[in-house]
């Protein structure tokens, strides 16, 4: 088309004439073309401008490009302004300036589909020349010729054209139309912008960004755009493409779609505010990328290689720039060639990017024309580029979609790129690393590209006239361009058209052929390496599963799940499973099904949502094949258990799957018709079919189209079903558990479905509340239907399914979904009944009487903590991790389960601790090895040295875990002590104790209230008196008080009933309390120590130094002291009340123990208040007069001290007077400090002169005189006060007093708390560490668990007391360290405290009565939670344990007893260790209720009662080595090297949990026995047992010899039907008889080496327990000779031969000539007992055993000693109902044995057998 336009004013142009007048049939006339002739607007200019030429590109509605060549010249016009200016006065001044002539633009435009810039320029220039130079050729002819010359699109021919004005031009057509023609535009573009900039633009264009070119030259804009498109080949740009955009249309730039647009730099300012457009300035050579735009660049190493190649093309000198002798010709090629070389680089690049793309094409229709889809995921997966941003975007882009639809069809003409991808891939791959080889390849490609554009050397001459110079310059009298005669032009056109019709077609037909696919995409080689072993494992496991070898499979499972992380193994799994599918079905049993599902889930778990490796695709047919029968015709398929993976909700995945299936079916469709080679690929087949298509008849064609269409349709139905399988959850009513975003929106990939394992309880609660179930369930259905509909619409439209079919599908889908929901409901019902298999059954723990479950078992995994024993690292099977449940009861936290390791799956693992001992709870997240799911868990640490690290199973809802934590917290820290287990036990099932409910123990309540009131009023009330008192009124209270003080109160111990009735004024409850106070343990102890009795005042002797004071009976003087205290006789109660104020917490010094030999006393008190200290120790001989501080209290304190010193016999002997003045300076004492305890060593090594020893160095006199020691004889003080170093800073020592202060450093409570935390971390680390600085011993040392300090102080005090000095311990508040020291001192000094009764008394007296704050230190209630757990008592028990280890014969109780107390003092099972003082216990009514009514006898409220009860039954607390020395004072070593870590901190028994709740132990054994009784059929049971560390309780499996013997005794007695003796009686009896016998006989004794370790560090008389071999007739038949071999302990005595023999004796039958049961009469007065007798010819003896199974012989009758065998008579006590002839006697040289067989026949047999043995001999 040709037209010309001119200016019409107002910046507008218009079209003057166009030819042809009517549009061509195949291309409409472009509207708005006048805008493009003057892109920056039509303007008049004052001066003529040179003619200009450029080509704009227009794109029509069919995305066809039209090239508009614009030739513009300027014609002079008369200035319209000049005429109007006279009339318009405003413009007067202007009118002067304005010229009369102005110039207007006029354009000649040629629109063509072909892009021949030079030809267009020549033609339009010719027309202009004809006009300007007035040549003789009519313009009509020229234009007519121009419009009618026909040029082929491609084919490489040359055309010569002429327009009839003496001109000639050659037009060169390209050989191949599909390759772009670039001229030299690409090279120009690189020159203008540079390599990196162009690469950015290239990547931006491919990844669909907006690109804007700026230049002041229109032609350059067009060229740049053309160049950019050329390097994108083989991709075609399919978005907005406007190389020259008119200024009027600038708003196009804010379009949301991508574009490539060129704009004149004139409009630069208007492009500034575009935020997301990449601007390339061609004139300035810059590319500006806005901040918000991210351009994905080519993947490395491609980017680097491309850059190198480009720089070698553009700048070949770069390489040799540094050479000394650069080669001559390194000039870059000519522009035209360079252009092609650059394009060659990009072709090479695309060949590398897209290699193998044809293997990922799915052909889904062949007829009527091919429909092809690209499987993007598979392509990325096989190229291992799934992570690559650039390629992802390119493959998703429109350009690539065009590429696939254009190049996908298998039967078409091919071009350079097809050839490259098909044949050169291998070459490219080999050369990519070598730039020079790449260059050679690029040059070859460039040559081909150049050839395409210029197939022949340019020979033909162009001859085109140009306008003469003068006509361009002469501005005058130029005529306007004439209006042409359109009729003439039209005639030309018609004439040419007629000619064309008759002419043969010029274009040669394209040669079509099959497109080669190139080499298939290889797997990356390295993937397969080292995976062979893994694949083997996967295969074996699957084989085991299908052969039903479940145990084997279970063992392999963890390895398989690990292997499935690798791609090869996942592929292998799908292939293996495939082999087990027959006719699309594989029915499994539950266990198999479960394993298969687990493997599938594991495989799918690592698939991304696009499934690039095709693993989900391979599994898709399998999940609908594997199933299990669930009864009643219901089958559950695997798909219901593998739904929670992203893949299933991804539309792309389903499409790719669908297309690959369709392709297979269509291939099958045509394979049937051709019986050719089966290996033919779908694309090849399609190509063949396309070739044949034109040859088929119409009917055949329609038939094939229909076949294909119905194939696609049936696949669509199939997929609708499949999708409903995988998208509908098993339980459709639960959709509120689905994430709501689910299938509603296309992009979302996050919806996850609930598995069947959660079918149980937690989901129940969700749907019952609402009442909208129906609406809810349909909701799932709707979203699934919507998703499937969307899928069906998309694939059916793409694959050309007819509309009717599509409608049919849409109506079908809801029915499919509904039907599936119904089948699922049935399956769901069944699956609820089905126990989830792989999970072991939850084992119920045995509970104590009165213990109730707060929360039922939650399935958890017990994860190994840092202790290695249980994990199998130290040998033995791994018991942890274990799977089971955690139970929360009112008393304990219990885990019970089985190890996940299949080799020990039958064992039961139990770990528990009292809830009250929980010290820390924190959330953790755990990765379980099996499932790789990260789960939330808890770590619970207990001060019984137990750690539970649990991970909640996925079936436990997280809110449930939260509830669990809350409950734990509530139970751990009750509001009040009454909420603890010791109080709530056995009460109603209500968890929280309500304070409102009526108290059961009303009288005690009132009593306690009453006590509190009276204490508050500080009125003492007399309890049991001779006189009758009336309660005082308020006024005369004070007088009453004094009256009380005068009257020495005495309370008799046994109150007769009559006195009680007399004192009617006193309430019975009060009276009861007082008598109870008397019965308190301490009083019994005080009497034992002779410290005073509570007898009648008349009988009390005044000369006793101490008395029991009742000043605190109402707990008014000191809350935390007991009611009765020992104070010096001479101190009245009033003084005591005053003194008590100087001490912290009012804990004034009281006597707690007296050495019976030296009469030295041990006192305890708190530290002094700070101000008291100074007053107390003020030295009287200072220069000042008596200072004011030393007020009366201070004197009274001195008086108190003096009174204590006076009580000591050594003191009264030495001075005889009780005053201070009695002391001469000689007796002055040196004040001294005891420096560090640590260096003190073995204390007994000291000389008895304690004073100097403590001083360590002689300090000079306080008043500056010479050091006392120079002239004084050292003498020990009568009273040492052990005080806190920090407290005693200000005090000076008084040299005239008889007491000495020993300042020591004690660890305060905070230190104990922190050190305990560290100790726990050391013994029970939460995770194992390989860090050497965290090793066990290092952590232990760091913990500074300060036992040696306490022990050293205690040993020192013992030493002092033993040498006759009294000691007063007054540290901190007098209830922590003081208590530890005081009680240890008594334990070391007094053997009584080392017995059961004594130790109990010691703890009750020093710890409970004297107010150690158990509740506070143990953080037992909510109030004390913040103070944290401080185990002061545990430290004391540990010290006792250390002493016990060093003196094992001095303690009546065993180590177990200490552990028992250590466990139960924090367990809150007993009330003994609750509350902080006696006062609080009375207030709660706890103290004396033991005497009261017992509601539930099975619940023990006091730990002591429990121990007593248990001790009667079993010797577990008893120490068999107990044989105390008389009055021995123990002095243990206290160096750290002598202390051992207590095994209480280390050991655990996973088989039964802690053994300290004894009832549980018995019950578990019973359960175990019942279990063992059942399976009797299973072959011979081995007598051997394997003992595992940390699993079995060693003491139980291998008891010590004596326990074993006592047990045997008991079982014997039970068998004989005797009433069994208490073990203690038996023991004592043995001990006494053995002692006497030892004295009688000189025979070597069966010494204690059997029973005790000989490594006692003390060379003392070690008296053991003497047991010797006893004859058959001895009073207790312990038959030690045989027992010894059973307990495998050496026998120290003289062994008999039979013993030696019995070790090798074989119980096999060859040694048993005859055997059976006989009743044997015991020795004198013993009953008849049935025994298993064996007659042994080989050894010539008759042996007997307790039972047939028994391996240990009970006795032997040597046949050599037998004299005769005779029939006997029934003797007394013989078994009843047995005939007379069944009896026979065996006479030996020693005695006669009486036997009784079952009947006479049996007896005869026995007699004969024995007889034959005798005769044989």
């Amino acid at each position: 088309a040709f037209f010309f336009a001119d200016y019409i004013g107002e910046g507008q142009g218009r079209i003057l004439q166009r030819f042809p007048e009517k549009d061509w049939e195949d291309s409409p006339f472009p509207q708005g073309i006048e805008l493009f002739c003057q892109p920056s607007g039509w303007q008049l200019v004052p001066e003529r401008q040179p003619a200009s030429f450029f080509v704009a590109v227009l794109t029509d509605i069919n995305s066809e490009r039209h090239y508009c060549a614009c030739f513009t010249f300027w014609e002079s016009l008369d200035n319209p302004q000049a005429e109007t200016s006279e009339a318009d006065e405003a413009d007067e001044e202007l009118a002067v300036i304005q010229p009369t002539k102005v110039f207007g633009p006029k354009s000649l435009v040629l629109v063509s589909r072909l892009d021949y810039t030079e030809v267009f320029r020549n033609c339009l220039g010719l027309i202009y020349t004809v006009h300007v130079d007035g040549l003789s050729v009519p313009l009509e002819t020229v234009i007519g010729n121009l419009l009618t010359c026909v040029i082929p699109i491609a084919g490489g021919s040359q055309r010569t054209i002429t327009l009839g004005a003496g001109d000639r031009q050659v037009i060169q057509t390209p050989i191949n139309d599909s390759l772009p023609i670039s001229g030299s535009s690409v090279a120009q573009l690189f020159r203008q912008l540079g390599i990196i900039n162009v690469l950015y633009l290239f990547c931006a264009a491919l990844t669909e960004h907006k690109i804007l070119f700026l230049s002041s030259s229109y032609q350059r804009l067009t060229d740049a755009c053309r160049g950019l498109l050329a390097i994108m080949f083989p991709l075609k740009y399919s978005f907005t493409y406007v190389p020259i955009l008119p200024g009027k249309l600038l708003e196009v730039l804010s379009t949301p779609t991508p574009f490539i647009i060129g704009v004149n730099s004139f409009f630069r300012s208007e492009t500034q505010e575009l935020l997301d457009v990449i601007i390339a300035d061609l004139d300035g050579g810059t590319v500006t990328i806005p901040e918000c735009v991210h351009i994905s660049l080519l993947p490395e190493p491609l980017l680097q290689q491309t850059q190198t190649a480009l720089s070698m093309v553009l700048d070949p000198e770069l390489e040799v720039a540094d050479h000394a002798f650069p080669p001559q010709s390194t000039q870059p090629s000519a522009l035209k060639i360079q252009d092609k070389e650059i394009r060659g680089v990009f072709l090479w690049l695309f060949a590398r990017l897209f290699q193998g793309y044809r293997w990922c094409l799915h052909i889904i229709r062949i007829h009527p024309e091919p429909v092809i889809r690209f499987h993007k995921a598979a392509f990325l997966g096989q190229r291992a580029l799934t992570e690559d941003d650039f390629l992802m975007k390119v493959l998703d882009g429109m350009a690539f979609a065009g590429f696939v639809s254009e190049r996908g069809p298998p039967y078409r003409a091919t071009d350079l790129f097809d050839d490259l991808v098909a044949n050169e891939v291998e070459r490219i791959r080999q050369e990519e690393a070598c730039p020079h080889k790449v260059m050679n390849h690029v040059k070859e490609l460039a040559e081909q590209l150049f050839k395409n554009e210029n197939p022949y050397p340019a020979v033909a001459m162009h001859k085109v006239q140009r306008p003469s110079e003068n006509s361009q310059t002469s501005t005058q009298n130029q005529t306007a361009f004439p209006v042409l005669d359109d009729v003439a032009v039209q005639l030309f056109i018609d004439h040419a058209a007629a000619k064309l019709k008759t002419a043969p077609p010029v274009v040669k037909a394209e040669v079509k052929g099959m497109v080669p696919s190139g080499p298939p995409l290889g797997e990356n080689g390295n993937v397969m390496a080292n995976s062979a072993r893994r694949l083997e494992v996967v295969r074996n496991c699957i084989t085991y599963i299908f052969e039903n070898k479940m145990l084997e499979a279970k063992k392999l499972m963890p390895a398989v799940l690990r292997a499935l992380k690798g791609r090869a193994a996942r592929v292998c799994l799908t292939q293996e499973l495939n082999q087990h599918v027959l006719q699309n079905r594989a029915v499994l049993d539950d266990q198999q099904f479960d394993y298969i599902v687990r493997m599938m889930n594991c495989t799918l778990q690592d698939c991304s949502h696009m499934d690039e490796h095709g693993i989900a695709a391979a599994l898709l047919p399998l999940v609908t094949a594997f199933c299990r029968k669930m009864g009643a015709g219901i089958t559950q398929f695997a798909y219901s258990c593998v739904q929670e993976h992203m893949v299933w909700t991804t539309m792309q995945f389903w499409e790719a799957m669908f297309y690959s299936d369709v392709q297979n079916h269509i291939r099958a469709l045509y394979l049937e018709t051709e019986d050719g080679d089966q290996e033919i690929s779908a694309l090849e087949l399609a190509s063949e079919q396309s070739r044949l298509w034109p040859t088929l008849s119409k009917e055949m064609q329609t038939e094939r189209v229909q076949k294909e269409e119905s194939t696609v349709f049936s696949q669509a139905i199939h997929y609708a079903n499949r999708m409903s399988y995988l998208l509908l959850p098993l339980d459709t009513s639960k959709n509120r558990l689905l994430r709501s975003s689910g299938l509603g929106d296309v992009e979302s990939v996050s919806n996850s479905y609930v598995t069947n394992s959660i079918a149980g309880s937690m989901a129940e609660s969700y749907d019952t509340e609402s009442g909208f179930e129906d609406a809810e369930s349909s909701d799932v259905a709707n979203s699934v239907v919507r998703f499937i509909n969307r899928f069906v619409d998309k694939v059916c439209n793409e694959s050309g399914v007819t509309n009717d079919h599509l409608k049919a599908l849409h109506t079908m889908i809801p029915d499919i979904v509904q039907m599936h929901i119904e089948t699922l409901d049935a399956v769901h019902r069944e699956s609820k009944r089905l126990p989830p298999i792989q999970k072991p059954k939850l084992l119920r723990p045995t509970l104590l009487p009165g213990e109730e479950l707060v929360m039922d078992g939650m399935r958890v995994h017990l994860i190994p903590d840092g202790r290695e024993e249980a994990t199998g690292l130290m040998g033995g099977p791994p018991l942890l991790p274990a799977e089971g449940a955690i139970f929360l009861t009112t008393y304990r936290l219990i885990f019970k389960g089985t190890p996940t390791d299949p080799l020990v799956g039958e064992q039961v693992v139990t770990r528990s601790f009292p809830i009250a001992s929980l010290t820390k709870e924190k959330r953790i997240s755990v990765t379980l090895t099996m499932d790789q799911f990260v789960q939330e868990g808890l770590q619970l640490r207990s001060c019984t040295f137990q750690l539970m690290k649990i991970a909640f199973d996925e079936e436990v809802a997280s809110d449930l875990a939260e509830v669990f934590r809350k409950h734990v917290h509530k139970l751990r820290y009750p509001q009040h002590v009454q909420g603890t287990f010791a109080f709530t036990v056995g009460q109603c099932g209500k968890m929280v104790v309500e304070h409102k409910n009526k108290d059961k123990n009303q009288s005690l309540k009132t009593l306690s209230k009453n006590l509190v009131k009276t204490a508050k009023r500080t009125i003492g009330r007399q309890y049991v008196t001779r006189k009758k008192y009336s309660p005082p009124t308020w006024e005369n209270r004070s007088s009453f008080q004094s009256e009380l003080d005068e009257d020495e109160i005495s309370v008799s111990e046994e109150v007769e009933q009559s006195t009680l009735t007399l004192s009617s004024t006193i309430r019975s409850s009060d009276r009861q309390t007082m008598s109870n106070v008397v019965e308190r343990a301490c009083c019994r102890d005080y009497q034992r120590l002779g410290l005073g009795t509570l007898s009648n005042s008349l009988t009390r002797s005044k000369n006793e130094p101490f008395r029991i004071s009742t000043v605190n009976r109402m707990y008014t003087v000191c809350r935390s002291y007991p009611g009765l205290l020992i104070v010096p006789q001479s101190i009245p109660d009033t003084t005591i009340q005053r003194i008590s104020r100087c001490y912290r917490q009012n804990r004034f010094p009281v006597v707690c123990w007296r050495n019976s030999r030296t009469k030295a006393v041990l006192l305890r008190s708190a530290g002094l208040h700070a101000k008291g200290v100074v007053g107390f120790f003020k030295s009287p001989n200072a220069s000042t007069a008596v200072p004011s501080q030393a007020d009366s209290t201070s004197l009274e304190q001195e008086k108190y001290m003096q009174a204590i010193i006076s009580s000591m016999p050594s003191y009264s002997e030495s001075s005889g007077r009780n005053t201070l003045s009695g002391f001469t300076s000689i007796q002055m004492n040196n004040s001294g400090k005891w420096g560090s305890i640590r260096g003190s060593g073995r204390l007994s090594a000291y000389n008895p002169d304690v004073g100097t020893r403590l001083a360590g160095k002689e300090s000079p006199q306080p008043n500056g005189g010479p050091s006392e020691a120079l002239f004084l004889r050292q003498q020990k003080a009568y009273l040492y006060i052990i005080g806190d170093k920090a407290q005693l800073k200000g005090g000076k020592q008084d040299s005239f007093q008889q007491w000495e202060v020993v300042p020591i450093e004690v660890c305060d409570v905070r230190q104990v708390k922190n050190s305990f935390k560290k100790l726990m971390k050391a013994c029970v680390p939460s995770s194992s560490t390989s860090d050497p600085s965290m090793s066990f011993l290092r952590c232990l040392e760091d913990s500074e668990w300060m036992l040696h300090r306490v022990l050293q102080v205690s040993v020192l005090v013992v030493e002092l007391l033993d040498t006759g000095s009294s000691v007063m311990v007054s540290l901190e508040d007098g209830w922590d360290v003081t208590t530890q020291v005081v009680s240890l001192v008594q334990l070391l000094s007094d053997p009584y405290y080392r017995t059961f009764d004594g130790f109990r008394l010691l703890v009750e007296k020093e710890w409970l009565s004297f107010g150690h704050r158990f509740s506070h230190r143990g953080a037992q209630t909510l109030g004390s939670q913040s103070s944290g757990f401080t185990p002061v008592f545990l430290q004391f028990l540990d010290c006792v344990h250390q002493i016990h280890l060093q003196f094992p014969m001095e303690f009546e109780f065993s180590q177990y007893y200490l552990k028992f107390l250590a466990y139960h003092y924090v367990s809150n099972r007993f009330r003994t260790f609750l509350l902080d003082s006696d006062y609080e216990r009375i207030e709660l009514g706890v103290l004396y209720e033991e005497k009261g009514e017992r509601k539930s006898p099975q619940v023990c409220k006091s730990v002591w009662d429990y121990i007593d009860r248990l001790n009667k039954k079993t010797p577990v607390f008893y120490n068999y080595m107990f044989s105390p020395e008389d009055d021995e004072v123990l002095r243990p070593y206290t160096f750290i090297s002598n202390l051992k870590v207590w095994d209480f901190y280390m050991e655990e028994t996973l088989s039964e949990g802690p053994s300290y709740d004894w009832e549980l132990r018995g019950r578990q054994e019973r359960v175990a026995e019942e279990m063992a009784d059942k399976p009797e059929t299973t072959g011979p049971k081995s007598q051997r047992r394997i003992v595992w560390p940390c699993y079995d309780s060693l003491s139980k499996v291998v008891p010590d010899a004596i326990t074993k013997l006592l047990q045997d005794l008991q079982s014997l007695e039970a068998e004989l039907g005797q009433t069994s003796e208490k073990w203690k009686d038996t023991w004592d009896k043995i001990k006494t008889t053995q002692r006497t016998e030892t004295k009688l006989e000189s025979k070597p004794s069966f010494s204690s080496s059997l029973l005790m370790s000989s490594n006692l560090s003390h060379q003392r008389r070690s008296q053991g327990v003497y047991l010797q071999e006893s004859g058959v007739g001895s009073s207790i038949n312990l038959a030690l000779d045989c027992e010894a071999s059973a307990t495998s302990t050496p026998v120290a005595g003289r062994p008999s031969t039979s013993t030696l023999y019995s070790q090798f004796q074989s119980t096999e039958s060859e040694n048993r000539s005859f055997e059976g049961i006989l009743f044997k009469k015991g020795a004198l007065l013993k009953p008849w007992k049935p025994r298993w007798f064996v007659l042994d010819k080989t050894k010539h003896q008759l042996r007997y055993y307790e039972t047939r199974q028994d391996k240990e012989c009970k006795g032997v009758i040597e046949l050599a000693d037998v004299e005769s065998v005779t029939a006997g008579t029934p003797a007394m006590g013989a078994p009843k109902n047995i005939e007379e002839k069944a009896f026979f006697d065996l006479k030996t040289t020693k005695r006669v044995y009486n036997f009784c067989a079952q009947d006479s026949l049996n007896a005869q047999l026995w007699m004969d057998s024995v007889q034959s043995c005798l005769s044989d001999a």
Side-chain angles (χ1 to χ4, degrees), residues 199-211 278 295-296 390:
L199 278 177
Y200 265 113
L201 288 180
F202 169 74
C203 292
L206 284 184
T207 53
E208 307 187 350
H209 286 289
K210 306 179 185 176
I211 297 174
I278 297 161
I295 299 182
S296 312
F390 173 76

Side-chain angles (χ1 to χ4, degrees), residues 848-1008:
L848 289 174
E851 180 182 11
E852 283 144 9
L853 280 176
V854 176
M855 278 188 83
D856 208 359
M858 289 193 295
R859 189 178 289 283
V860 295
H861 295 262
L862 185 62
I863 308 295
D865 41 66
R867 295 172 289 181
E868 266 130 17
E869 295 90 339
T871 55
L873 292 179
M874 325 272 280
L879 297 163
L880 299 183
E883 184 179 358
I886 192 157
F887 296 87
L888 178 60
T889 71
T890 42
Y891 167 49
R892 289 176 303 163
L893 247 172
I894 312 162
F895 169 86
K896 194 159 183 185
T898 52
T900 43
D901 186 290
L903 300 173
V904 277
E906 304 79 55
Q907 308 302 330
V908 176
V909 169
T910 310
R911 196 178 262 182
S912 73
F913 56 79
I915 192 85
S917 68
L918 180 72
T919 56
K920 186 156 185 228
E921 169 256 19
K922 71 170 181 189
R923 283 207 186 102
I924 50 175
S925 60
V926 187
T927 311
L928 293 177
T929 42
M930 289 291 263
D931 307 333
Q932 301 305 330
F933 290 129
V934 174
Q935 271 147 336
E936 53 177 326
L938 287 179
Q939 181 174 302
L940 305 157
R941 196 186 268 285
S942 131
C943 58
T944 59
F945 288 84
Q946 200 41 278
L947 180 78
M948 266 194 219
K949 206 167 169 184
I950 54 173
F952 291 104
D953 198 77
E954 59 266 18
E955 72 181 49
V956 177
S958 51
D959 48 351
L960 212 62
E962 204 38 54
V963 171
F964 172 75
R965 286 182 68 226
K966 291 217 177 77
H967 273 314
V968 167
H969 196 266
K970 211 163 173 185
L971 283 172
R972 170 63 183 94
Y973 298 111
Q975 292 289 330
H976 187 260
V977 176
Q978 280 177 308
T980 55
F981 178 66
F983 284 95
T984 57
V985 61
Q987 287 184 8
C988 55
K990 263 199 131 171
M991 213 191 84
V992 190
V993 176
E994 298 273 357
H995 289 297
K996 298 191 184 69
N997 59 1
K998 199 164 180 325
D999 200 293
K1000 293 198 171 65
N1001 208 329
Q1002 207 49 53
S1003 60
L1004 281 170
K1005 256 290 172 17
T1006 48
L1007 150 72
S1008 55

Side-chain angles (χ1 to χ4, degrees), residues 618-662:
L619 276 176
L620 187 60
L622 297 175
V623 296
T624 53
F626 287 103
C627 58
R628 59 173 170 192
K629 290 264 184 283
M630 301 180 85
I634 293 173
T635 310
Q636 179 179 12
F637 284 92
Y639 58 72
S640 58
C641 308
V642 295
Q643 293 175 329
E644 67 281 27
H645 300 283
M646 304 251 283
V647 145
W648 310 129
T649 56
T650 316
M651 198 60 101
Q652 289 93 322
F653 163 75
W654 286 108
E655 285 168 27
M657 281 296 302
F658 176 76
Y659 292 143
S660 75
D661 268 9
V662 168

Side-chain angles (χ1 to χ4, degrees), residues 315-371:
D315 188 5
E317 292 176 10
L318 178 66
E319 242 189 321
V320 293
D322 290 353
H323 288 200
F325 304 108
Q328 307 299 302
S329 57
T330 50
Q331 283 306 311
S333 336
L335 261 188
K336 267 184 168 173
I337 307 291
Q338 202 183 30
D339 179 273
K340 303 300 172 282
E341 285 174 352
I342 294 173
R343 283 179 53 196
V345 173
F346 280 96
L347 254 180
W348 171 85
L349 168 68
F350 273 113
R352 287 192 61 192
L353 275 178
F354 291 162
Q355 67 183 46
Y357 80 97
R358 296 197 72 76
W359 292 93
C360 297
L361 293 176
H362 285 158
I363 181 148
I364 45 176
R365 286 296 289 275
I366 300 177
H367 305 317
E369 67 268 338
V371 179

Side-chain angles (χ1 to χ4, degrees), residues 573-575 577-579 581 600 618-626 638:
L573 173 87
T574 58
Q575 292 163 351
L577 288 178
N578 236 328
Q579 293 171 6
V581 181
M600 285 179 172
L619 276 176
L620 187 60
L622 297 175
V623 296
T624 53
F626 287 103

Side-chain angles (χ1 to χ4, degrees), residues 512-523:
K512 289 193 176 182
M514 200 192 87
V515 182
S517 293
L521 282 172
E523 292 285 329

Side-chain angles (χ1 to χ4, degrees), residues 1498-1512:
Q1498 86 274 20
V1499 175
C1500 243
K1501 293 182 178 168
S1502 152
V1503 72
W1504 311 114
D1505 294 358
Y1506 185 74
I1507 288 174
D1508 285 349
R1509 226 185 274 179
L1510 199 51
N1511 201 22
K1512 289 198 181 81

